[in-house]
Amino acid sequence: MSVEYDIARRLSSRKGGGRAGIMERVATIATAISLMVIIVALSVVVGFKRDVNTLLSSAASDIVITAPQSMGTVSEQRIERTASLKGLLNNNPNIERYSPYIAKEGVIKSEENMAGVLLKGVDASYDISFFAEHIVKGELPRIGNTPRTKDVLLSQPIAQKMDAEVGDRIEIVFVDERGDMLRDRFSVSGIYKTGLDVIDDAIALTDMPNVAREYDGDVAKVTGYEVWLKEGADAAAVEHDINEHLREIYLNEGVLAEAFTIERVFPDIFGWLATHDMNALVITVIMIIVALLNMTTALLVIVLERQRMIGELRAMGMNRTSIVRLFLYRAMFIVWRGVAWGTIIGISLAMIQHIWAPIPLPNEGYILSQVPAALCWGWWAVAVVVTMLVTAVVMVIPALFATKSAPAEAIRYE
């Protein structure tokens, strides 16, 4: 154990009540609060992005394969359900499941109101559990039944706009390729709400043949496939791989299709989520600056109050480098206490919110119903290490101040 470390440890163990002791406690508390805020902010930002991404991918899949004109949403152009296309999806090790769908834009019409809707038809292979979790009234539409049913699942915003309730019959007007108007009637089986405007303001769910008949009745032609990936799979890499094989299928069979990641389908939402990274960065920088200012002030006060001790140590032969090292050790003892308390409190708050979610959120403004809190151990470790490293580097400046005065002057200092 070095002499500098031993002196710094002994000084740190004393409970001083003077200015140095007060400033030391202030610096410790400031460091703890700063790191606590950083940990909680990272937890909320990572949790928010994770939960919204999960919600969106559950509602609309990780990758959509459709005609290029659709750009991942819908167009009149459909694609063939060929064996090659199915084989491509079945043989990709990163794909967990996939489901075909047929979609058509229409207008729900009544005597008083009308609302645009995207009628989405799915078959029995579609995992409807996401919508089941978000049912607020009624039940799910019957999918894949024989004979065909005319059930439709409406979102709560659309149902409220149309004054529609479970069991009501609604009329949807479509326009075919020739510009002629088509009318069809459906029975509202249930009402759902996800909190995602891009879903709730548009999607109505029904059986696939109901939508196919608004084209030519052929369910062998679909709007596209929704593809869900296995956990940890790189969506961009899978998209690239699928598109490479789709080019071969197009050259061999003439099936024109393209894969789109969910980020490309909904760029506005993911652009909005990306702004949260900047928010987290700003909060982190501000909190570290606050901790550094308090640490610098505290160390300067400690140096000023220890001028006599510095002079005595210099008179006994301790060089400038050792003096600087001594006060750096002194500063790190303060930082370690602050980091320890900040880490414990910050992680505890994040875990409480993660497990019990006592803090709610207005669903209308934030999509989620409670403040999300992810247990992002990797990011927390980075925050702790960066805070300690930056503080250690900056603390060299006030530590150098301890070497400025001559030994004789320092010994006379009161």
Side-chain angles (χ1 to χ4, degrees):
M1 182 184 297
S2 66
V3 174
E4 300 92 338
Y5 179 86
D6 186 55
I7 295 174
R9 181 179 59 81
R10 290 173 182 272
L11 290 174
S12 180
S13 63
R14 295 179 182 177
K15 305 298 182 183
R19 285 176 297 175
I22 294 172
M23 289 306 302
E24 179 178 336
R25 286 191 286 273
V26 169
T28 301
I29 293 171
T31 303
I33 292 175
S34 297
L35 187 57
M36 179 195 70
V37 171
I38 291 171
I39 288 174
V40 172
L42 287 173
S43 178
V44 171
V45 169
V46 172
F48 192 81
K49 292 181 68 175
R50 179 203 62 193
D51 289 358
V52 171
N53 190 29
T54 299
L55 186 64
L56 196 55
S57 63
S58 298
S61 76
D62 297 303
I63 291 176
V64 177
I65 299 174
T66 186
Q69 298 93 326
S70 300
M71 191 56 186
T73 52
V74 64
S75 75
E76 296 294 324
Q77 186 68 37
R78 292 182 291 161
I79 60 177
E80 295 281 350
R81 299 173 66 173
T82 65
S84 299
L85 188 51
K86 292 180 181 178
L88 167 61
L89 300 178
N90 287 328
N91 295 330
N92 193 308
N94 292 304
I95 293 177
E96 181 179 296
R97 69 181 191 278
Y98 64 90
S99 178
Y101 70 97
I102 304 178
K104 191 172 182 65
E105 294 173 325
V107 175
I108 303 178
K109 187 176 179 299
S110 68
E111 292 183 0
E112 295 86 14
N113 301 309
M114 62 175 57
V117 69
L118 180 65
L119 189 62
K120 179 179 176 180
V122 296
D123 62 12
S125 67
Y126 186 81
D127 185 359
I128 208 167
S129 60
F130 171 80
F131 287 96
E133 294 171 0
H134 293 85
I135 289 278
V136 293
K137 289 182 182 178
E139 59 186 17
L140 294 169
R142 290 165 289 182
I143 303 296
N145 283 18
T146 303
R148 177 171 58 92
T149 62
K150 300 297 291 292
D151 294 347
V152 66
L153 181 69
L154 291 183
S155 70
Q156 190 176 65
I158 293 176
Q160 290 175 345
K161 187 174 183 179
M162 298 305 301
D163 294 324
E165 293 292 341
V166 174
D168 290 353
R169 293 186 64 80
I170 59 172
E171 182 182 68
I172 304 181
V173 180
F174 305 95
V175 178
D176 64 15
E177 296 178 354
R178 299 184 300 273
D180 297 331
M181 296 184 64
L182 306 173
R183 300 174 183 270
D184 207 346
R185 287 187 171 274
F186 296 86
S187 175
V188 179
S189 67
I191 297 172
Y192 75 91
K193 182 181 180 182
T194 67
L196 283 167
D197 292 343
V198 292
I199 303 297
D200 293 347
D201 290 347
I203 302 295
L205 199 68
T206 189
D207 198 10
M208 183 180 287
N210 294 335
V211 189
R213 74 189 298 269
E214 308 305 334
Y215 291 99
D216 53 14
D218 186 4
V219 294
K221 295 179 181 179
V222 296
T223 302
Y225 287 86
E226 291 182 325
V227 180
W228 288 267
L229 305 180
K230 294 179 179 178
E231 187 174 355
D234 185 344
V238 175
E239 176 201 45
H240 177 76
D241 180 64
I242 291 175
N243 282 329
E244 288 294 320
H245 288 86
L246 286 175
R247 292 187 184 94
E248 297 177 9
I249 294 176
Y250 173 71
L251 293 174
N252 295 333
E253 303 177 17
V255 177
L256 183 59
E258 184 175 353
F260 301 89
T261 60
I262 193 171
E263 287 85 354
R264 294 177 63 195
V265 177
F266 300 109
D268 293 342
I269 291 180
F270 284 92
W272 172 62
L273 289 177
T275 62
H276 288 71
D277 295 334
M278 181 57 66
N279 294 339
L281 178 61
V282 170
I283 291 172
T284 300
V285 171
I286 290 174
M287 290 298 101
I288 290 178
I289 290 174
V290 170
L292 290 176
L293 289 175
N294 282 278
M295 280 297 304
T296 302
T297 304
L299 194 56
L300 284 173
V301 172
I302 291 171
V303 168
L304 289 173
E305 289 212 339
R306 295 295 178 181
Q307 282 293 312
R308 185 176 182 84
M309 184 195 74
I310 294 170
E312 292 171 348
L313 291 173
R314 291 288 308 281
M316 288 187 291
M318 183 175 282
N319 58 35
R320 294 176 182 270
T321 302
S322 296
I323 295 293
V324 171
R325 190 180 298 120
L326 187 156
F327 282 97
L328 283 178
Y329 282 136
R330 187 77 176 87
M332 290 314 299
F333 281 127
I334 300 173
V335 173
W336 289 339
R337 282 199 294 268
V339 166
W341 281 111
T343 302
I344 293 170
I345 297 172
I347 292 179
S348 298
L349 291 175
M351 292 189 71
I352 289 171
Q353 183 64 24
H354 178 79
I355 297 171
W356 292 288
I359 305 176
L361 274 177
N363 188 262
E364 293 78 10
Y366 293 93
I367 300 176
L368 306 176
S369 58
Q370 69 251 341
V371 174
L375 303 182
C376 46
W377 300 101
W379 285 110
W380 290 342
V382 170
V384 171
V385 171
V386 168
T387 301
M388 295 188 68
L389 288 177
V390 172
T391 305
V393 171
V394 176
M395 285 305 100
V396 173
I397 299 173
L400 287 173
F401 185 78
T403 67
K404 295 300 181 182
S405 58
E409 295 176 356
I411 292 173
R412 293 197 304 268
Y413 179 81
E414 294 295 339

